[in-house]
Amino acid sequence: MTGETRVVAVLGPTNTGKTTYAIERMLGHKSGVIGLPLRLLAREVYDRVVAALGPSVVALVTGEERIVPPRTQYWICTVEAMPEGMGCDFLAVDEIQLCADPERGHVFTDRLLRARGLHETLFLGSDTMRGPIRALVPNAQFVQRERMSTLTYTGPKKISRMRPRSAIVGFSVENVYAIAELIRRQKGGAAVVMGALSPRTRNAQVEMYQNGEVDFLVATDAIGMGLNLDVDHVAFSSLTKFDGRRMRPLAPNELAQIAGRAGRGMKNGTFGVTGEASPLEEGVAEAIMDHRFTPQKKLNWRNHALQFGTIDRLIQTLEAAPDDEILVKAREADDLGALKALAQVTEVAARCSDGPSVKLLWDVCRIPDFRGISHAEHAGLLEAIFTYLHERGQIPDDWLAQQINRIDRTDGDIDALSKRLAFIRTWTYVAQRKGWTIDESHWREQARSVEDRLSDALHERLTQRFVDRRTSVLLRRLGQKEAMVAEVSNTGEVTVEGEFVGRLEGFRFSQDKGAGGAEAKTIKTAALQALAPQFHLRADRFYNAPDTEIDFTEQGGLIWGKDAVGKLVAGADALKPQVEVFVDDVAGPEVAQKVQRRLQHFIDRKIAALFEPLLNLGRDETLAGLARGFAFQMVEGLGVLPRAAVADDVKALDQDARGALRKHGIRFGQFTIFMPLLLKPAPTRLRLVLWSLSQGVQDFPEAPPPGLVTIPADTAAPAGADTMSGYRIAGERAIRIDMLERLADMLRSENSRAGFEATADMLSITGMTLEQFADLMQGLGYKAEKGERIKVKAIDPTAAEKAKAPDEAVTSEAVETASETPDAAEVEQETAPAETAPEATEAAASGDEATAVATDTAPETEVFYTFTWGRTARPAGHANKRGSADRPQGKGKGKPGGKGKRGGPRSDKGQGGQKFSARPPKPEKKIDPDNPFAAALMGLKDTK
């Protein structure tokens, strides 16, 4: 074979087309095999060859995957899985410089020394291998290939400033995840590529990057092994890595292998550092750019001529030293460590009594430790597999099914799925071994399907965690400088290029709260740029909207539907507030002006409609003198004035002036001067807003609920808020001013000097209990004296008729008088149940005092209040002058018992005096149908 084969070493830097050249040379032969350093790269080359020839003649053989059609001509393998002694016409080994790798170098060195094609053999790799190949393979020819593009060092650069189509390289899973998370927040997302990923997951991630769904790639040094990616820039986040035993700095040639992924074909590339990585030394950077590296002097080697007589003999041959100075004995690999560990197990040592058993044990020990949990646990798994194979010749189906089923779960996070993928790779490797299972095809398919499910789930989790499709899409469209398509739904949801970005609330964009940092800035920039035409369309629709779609809030806000579009601010006049609009700057001044004009029209019309009587009063030019001045005060007071504050002005008004003012609906009440039409809920609500604006109040008082006669007094409200609400505070509650005037009318007929009690009408009109009414009266300046008395109950006419004696000579007038003023004995008798009266009499006659006490009923008492005008306890804000407007008028002037002349005799109610008057009786005042207690008042009226 040596005389016929042609051995060629194709050497050069990355991006020289070496792998492509090898594939073309292989396809020029009838059969061939190519060994590649990574399972991922083997799958990529397999797909390329299948695309050219079809799957029927191409095989893929890796540790965990085996696709071998019956008519296979071309074998695509990992270097460890390359078949031996097949006699193919062509053979190639890629990345031959890995002969110097501490862990896997002995496998590549073995292929360099012993693997040959019948007609042609190619070794592809770095120019640093020229010396060792020349020394170990004297008949080798050398072909130098130059890089097709230039590679330039650009120094350090922050990740936030990394340009699109960049790959950031980390050397640990934690580092890769942290970088990917940072890029997601700042750039919209990144694809993740690691050697531990399954080909399915890796291909899905790479496809996202290649098709432009994301513009950044975060990877380990796995991308340095020939993976063809569209990368413009490679940035190192670290310059050290853990090689399985220690942290060590990367050599210049290792950095160049990774940096060389930047720039493909004729496209130039750049490389640099980022994150915590220090800048490259000038000499190192120049060496990478010029592809000048220290030649390899030593290659790792392990004896291939193994002897399986005993375990000890096998270990001796594995640890044999090389006989060439270029070769150095490889450090102890995982398979040799596992062999030594199992050799110490008594049962395993007893089973290995012959060569085939030792050979079987060595095959089991070569199962890679994909899980990486611990050497002891891995050795325990290998022991179980070896025991089954040695005892039964095959692994039991039920035990293998149990191991696989435990892993067949797609729940959990990225770490959990990554661990399960590592676990299933062990069983995928086991299923690929010929003769180890009863049904090889079934278990290969079973392991493959589980790996595929886990791979898909891992890709989904990686995408969910490290890719923000929305930000990625918007960033890409922003970079293309094209107009983006924005849509606003009926509910205000804003989508840009089909991605939800937030809501349009009126004329302000409210960004999705799920975004943060640079991501939020990107979304807002893209959204506002796309929304510019939407603002004009919405402004036109708003300008033509009817007033019924616009409203004001009790805090002075202006809303359109459910969206805030502005607020009221104080103007020169309380009845002429101004408008401040809520419009994003990007909408432009034209939109803002249109919204401002529409809102000003709305509030001006609202004031004109609700305060029409007040505005008419202010515009009445027929008013003159004091009447005109008083009208000005009413306008300033927004239609409500406490009488105590304008008492002198009211006194100064003559009857003609008062008549002219009354024509405008002004009512001169005892406590308040007001316009009844302006006490309705709608004007009251607006009056509070206008008053709060003019007074500079921070928290506007809210209008009371409509229909309530009294409400709890709000002591925290600013002074005057009760008046603007249409109420007057009296004690712990506030009473509506129009109902207070009706109460004042009732109080005029009472003797406030001698004292009077609350009537049912008084309680009914206020809707209060007696105790609440007493507090109200004290708030109005009255004294309330509390007392108790025996409660008088009305006599049932039927019972009274039965109780009459036929021979009783009492006049009807006397009976009527007695029924109106019963004495205590009669009250006690009337309050006792009718059926117990005879028993009580009999008990008294027989002297049974205990029985009499038991049958008597104790008299029922009631609480009452006597109200008198309190001279020294005037409410706050009342005038102290004699004849104050708040003082009750009518009866009670002067001393008690007098009327007309001071101290003169008078006839008070209930004293038996008769009254004569030529004046016809006053018609009863109609009950206000708006009073919430109207029904109760009608009932009281009917009982009179």
Side-chain angles (χ1 to χ4, degrees):
M1 182 179 70
T2 304
E4 300 177 0
T5 188
R6 174 175 176 260
V7 180
V8 179
V10 183
L11 306 179
T14 56
N15 192 27
T16 58
K18 295 186 296 292
T19 304
T20 302
Y21 172 74
I23 294 173
E24 292 173 352
R25 294 297 302 171
M26 180 180 69
L27 298 183
H29 295 273
K30 292 183 178 180
S31 62
V33 57
I34 182 170
L36 299 153
L38 293 176
R39 179 189 181 195
L40 300 178
L41 185 55
R43 185 75 194 201
E44 181 179 310
V45 173
Y46 170 78
D47 292 339
R48 290 173 62 181
V49 177
V50 167
L53 302 179
S56 62
V57 294
V58 186
L60 174 65
V61 180
T62 67
E64 302 109 89
E65 197 167 11
R66 186 178 180 88
I67 304 173
V68 183
R71 299 189 301 111
T72 297
Q73 295 177 248
Y74 302 101
W75 298 72
I76 314 301
C77 315
T78 53
V79 173
E80 286 84 349
M82 290 177 68
E84 297 185 21
M86 293 188 60
C88 292
D89 292 341
F90 174 88
L91 183 142
V93 180
D94 197 11
E95 306 294 354
I96 196 63
Q97 72 273 6
L98 287 179
C99 289
D101 184 74
E103 295 182 9
R104 305 171 61 202
H106 64 274
V107 179
F108 284 81
T109 301
D110 181 72
R111 302 297 183 261
L112 175 66
L113 296 175
R114 301 190 313 109
R116 298 291 185 270
L118 294 177
H119 300 299
E120 185 175 6
T121 301
L122 295 184
F123 296 115
L124 317 173
S126 172
D127 195 55
T128 58
M129 286 293 295
R130 185 180 295 270
I133 293 176
R134 180 180 288 116
L136 297 174
V137 188
N139 63 331
Q141 303 174 22
F142 292 91
V143 174
Q144 181 70 30
R145 294 182 69 91
E146 299 297 331
R147 184 177 171 88
M148 292 181 283
S149 62
T150 60
L151 190 61
T152 306
Y153 176 64
T154 59
K157 184 176 293 185
K158 292 182 179 180
I159 292 179
S160 60
R161 297 184 178 180
M162 203 73 64
R163 67 175 186 264
R165 314 315 293 170
S166 294
I168 296 93
V169 179
F171 296 99
S172 69
V173 173
E174 293 78 9
N175 187 228
V176 168
Y177 287 171
I179 295 172
E181 180 67 27
L182 178 62
I183 292 178
R184 186 196 71 81
R185 295 197 302 267
Q186 297 187 348
K187 301 292 187 178
V192 175
V193 174
M194 298 182 291
L197 296 180
S198 67
R200 190 181 182 95
T201 304
R202 173 261 178 189
N203 291 341
Q205 289 287 304
V206 168
E207 184 180 358
M208 276 200 316
Y209 175 79
Q210 291 292 84
N211 64 22
E213 189 172 340
V214 293
D215 282 326
F216 297 88
L217 181 72
V218 184
T220 61
D221 52 353
I223 66 168
M225 294 300 174
L227 297 182
N228 295 310
L229 300 169
D230 183 19
V231 175
D232 294 340
H233 179 77
V234 171
F236 294 93
S237 66
S238 175
L239 300 178
T240 60
K241 67 174 290 188
F242 183 71
D243 63 1
R245 295 192 178 186
R246 63 184 177 88
M247 292 295 296
R248 64 173 181 84
L250 276 79
N253 62 311
E254 293 176 308
L255 293 172
Q257 185 71 28
I258 301 169
R261 295 302 109 191
R264 304 305 300 166
M266 303 302 294
K267 188 177 182 181
N268 295 331
T270 59
F271 69 98
V273 295
T274 189
E276 298 180 356
S278 58
L280 293 176
E281 296 180 3
E282 184 177 352
V284 174
E286 290 180 355
I288 295 174
M289 290 187 288
D290 297 338
H291 319 298
R292 295 181 289 99
F293 308 107
T294 303
Q296 294 290 347
K297 299 292 181 73
K298 300 292 183 179
L299 306 182
N300 286 282
W301 176 87
R302 188 168 76 177
N303 186 16
H304 73 281
L306 304 181
Q307 298 178 14
F308 300 101
T310 63
I311 297 178
D312 292 338
R313 183 57 185 162
L314 174 60
I315 294 175
Q316 289 176 6
T317 55
L318 285 169
E319 292 184 332
D323 55 4
D324 192 301
E325 61 180 7
I326 298 178
L327 305 177
V328 295
K329 186 175 72 172
R331 71 186 187 189
E332 184 177 291
D334 290 341
D335 52 5
L336 179 55
L339 177 63
K340 289 182 176 180
L342 291 180
Q344 303 301 317
V345 179
T346 305
E347 183 179 351
V348 173
R351 290 180 182 278
C352 295
S353 57
D354 54 16
S357 298
V358 176
K359 178 67 169 59
L360 175 62
L361 177 62
W362 175 239
D363 289 341
V364 171
C365 289
R366 296 178 68 185
I367 298 175
D369 184 12
F370 295 112
R371 302 181 303 168
I373 299 175
S374 69
H375 295 300
E377 186 163 347
H378 182 61
L381 177 63
L382 298 182
E383 180 184 350
I385 295 174
F386 172 72
T387 300
Y388 281 128
L389 292 174
H390 193 269
E391 281 185 357
R392 307 185 185 187
Q394 291 166 329
I395 298 174
D397 286 350
D398 56 349
W399 185 78
L400 185 56
Q402 181 182 2
Q403 304 303 314
I404 293 177
N405 290 338
R406 286 191 311 173
I407 306 169
D408 190 9
R409 292 170 45 202
T410 58
D411 59 312
D413 57 11
I414 292 175
D415 291 336
L417 291 170
S418 297
K419 289 178 181 178
R420 291 186 200 132
L421 264 174
F423 286 9
I424 197 62
R425 290 180 69 185
T426 299
W427 302 115
T428 304
Y429 184 95
V430 169
Q432 298 298 327
R433 304 282 72 79
K434 189 175 180 63
W436 281 18
T437 57
I438 298 173
D439 188 348
E440 294 177 8
S441 61
H442 167 74
W443 290 114
R444 288 174 184 172
E445 180 61 30
Q446 185 74 4
R448 173 62 54 213
S449 62
V450 172
E451 181 175 331
D452 288 347
R453 283 193 292 273
L454 291 173
S455 298
D456 292 341
L458 179 57
H459 169 65
E460 180 183 350
R461 301 295 195 283
L462 289 170
T463 303
Q464 287 176 352
R465 179 171 174 182
F466 300 126
V467 177
D468 185 335
R469 297 182 186 275
R470 174 179 59 186
T471 306
S472 179
V473 168
L474 297 180
L475 274 171
R476 187 163 59 252
R477 293 306 303 273
L478 281 172
Q480 294 171 354
K481 305 297 183 182
E482 296 180 3
M484 291 181 288
V485 178
E487 295 182 358
V488 182
S489 69
N490 294 333
T491 58
E493 293 183 353
V494 179
T495 57
V496 178
E497 296 295 324
E499 299 291 337
F500 173 74
V501 295
R503 295 179 180 276
L504 191 59
E505 298 174 349
F507 296 91
R508 293 190 298 187
F509 174 66
S510 177
Q511 188 169 317
D512 179 23
K513 295 181 180 180
E519 175 191 358
K521 183 178 180 181
T522 299
I523 292 174
K524 187 170 184 178
T525 301
L528 292 178
Q529 176 180 318
L531 282 174
Q534 291 287 340
F535 282 121
H536 288 276
L537 293 174
R538 179 165 280 215
D540 291 340
R541 185 156 60 89
F542 174 66
Y543 196 81
N544 296 315
D547 282 355
T548 54
E549 293 184 6
I550 309 173
D551 199 2
F552 64 92
T553 68
E554 294 190 349
Q555 296 300 314
L558 294 169
I559 56 176
W560 178 31
K562 296 182 179 180
D563 298 329
V565 291
K567 68 176 182 179
L568 296 173
V569 295
D573 190 320
L575 289 171
K576 295 179 180 179
Q578 299 301 303
V579 170
E580 181 179 311
V581 297
F582 299 154
V583 179
D584 279 332
D585 293 338
V586 72
E590 183 180 347
V591 171
Q593 291 171 8
K594 186 173 289 187
V595 174
Q596 197 275 339
R597 287 197 304 269
R598 181 65 186 89
L599 289 177
Q600 194 68 56
H601 293 334
F602 161 76
I603 196 63
D604 290 345
R605 284 199 291 265
K606 182 67 72 172
I607 292 173
L610 296 180
F611 289 90
E612 182 180 3
L614 191 63
L615 296 175
N616 291 337
L617 175 66
R619 290 192 292 261
D620 189 353
E621 297 182 357
T622 62
L623 297 176
L626 294 177
R628 187 168 185 80
F630 194 83
F632 178 77
Q633 291 188 69
M634 283 297 293
V635 174
E636 278 194 328
L638 300 176
V640 184
L641 289 174
R643 182 157 184 159
V646 292
D648 293 338
D649 296 331
V650 173
K651 284 183 180 180
L653 293 172
D654 56 22
Q655 291 301 319
D656 292 338
R658 294 195 183 199
L661 292 172
R662 286 194 180 98
K663 290 180 180 179
H664 286 280
I666 295 178
R667 178 178 176 185
F668 291 86
Q670 179 176 321
F671 293 93
T672 313
I673 300 171
F674 60 97
M675 304 179 79
L677 289 177
L678 300 189
L679 295 185
K680 293 183 177 181
T684 298
R685 179 168 169 261
L686 181 56
R687 178 172 55 249
L688 279 170
V689 173
L690 299 178
W691 175 79
S692 299
L693 288 171
S694 64
Q695 296 296 315
V697 176
Q698 294 296 323
D699 294 326
F700 294 8
E702 296 184 359
L708 298 182
V709 175
T710 65
I711 59 173
D714 185 1
T715 57
D722 58 330
T723 302
M724 291 298 106
S725 300
Y727 285 77
R728 176 191 174 97
I729 293 179
E732 295 182 354
R733 298 185 70 82
I735 183 170
R736 210 168 71 201
I737 58 178
D738 57 339
M739 302 304 288
L740 176 61
E741 297 304 331
R742 293 179 60 181
L743 176 63
D745 291 342
M746 297 179 183
L747 295 178
R748 288 193 187 96
S749 63
E750 302 294 341
N751 189 340
S752 60
R753 291 279 187 174
F756 61 92
E757 294 185 33
T759 66
D761 288 343
M762 294 178 187
L763 297 178
S764 177
I765 199 174
T766 59
M768 290 180 167
T769 63
L770 183 59
E771 287 75 12
Q772 291 175 330
F773 184 79
D775 180 72
L776 172 72
M777 292 294 287
Q778 291 181 89
L780 294 176
Y782 288 84
K783 290 183 179 179
E785 295 184 6
K786 184 177 181 180
E788 290 188 2
R789 64 189 175 196
I790 297 175
K791 185 175 183 179
V792 179
K793 291 188 176 182
I795 299 176
D796 185 356
T798 305
E801 186 69 23
K802 291 182 179 180
K804 278 185 178 182
D807 57 346
E808 185 178 7
V810 182
T811 65
S812 60
E813 181 178 359
V815 173
E816 182 179 354
T817 303
S819 64
E820 291 178 356
T821 57
D823 59 20
E826 288 175 336
V827 169
E828 290 180 8
Q829 184 174 356
E830 290 169 4
T831 54
E835 58 270 22
T836 60
E839 296 177 9
T841 304
E842 183 180 351
S846 63
D848 191 350
E849 296 179 2
T851 305
V853 171
T855 55
D856 281 344
T857 302
E860 184 179 356
T861 61
E862 65 177 354
V863 175
F864 69 97
Y865 286 89
T866 302
F867 300 103
T868 58
W869 177 248
R871 287 179 176 273
T872 60
R874 298 182 181 277
H878 288 197
N880 290 324
K881 297 181 180 179
R882 181 179 178 85
S884 166
D886 282 359
R887 178 173 177 170
Q889 306 297 319
K891 290 185 179 181
K893 289 185 178 180
K895 294 182 180 179
K899 186 175 182 180
K901 293 182 180 180
R902 180 174 298 181
R906 62 172 293 162
S907 175
D908 285 340
K909 184 177 180 179
Q911 295 181 353
Q914 295 183 350
K915 297 180 180 179
F916 300 94
S917 175
R919 184 181 302 168
K922 291 183 179 180
E924 290 189 10
K925 192 171 184 179
K926 295 182 179 179
I927 295 174
D928 184 1
D930 292 332
N931 190 332
F933 302 97
L937 292 173
M938 291 297 295
L940 290 173
K941 181 179 178 182
D942 293 341
T943 59
K944 290 184 179 180

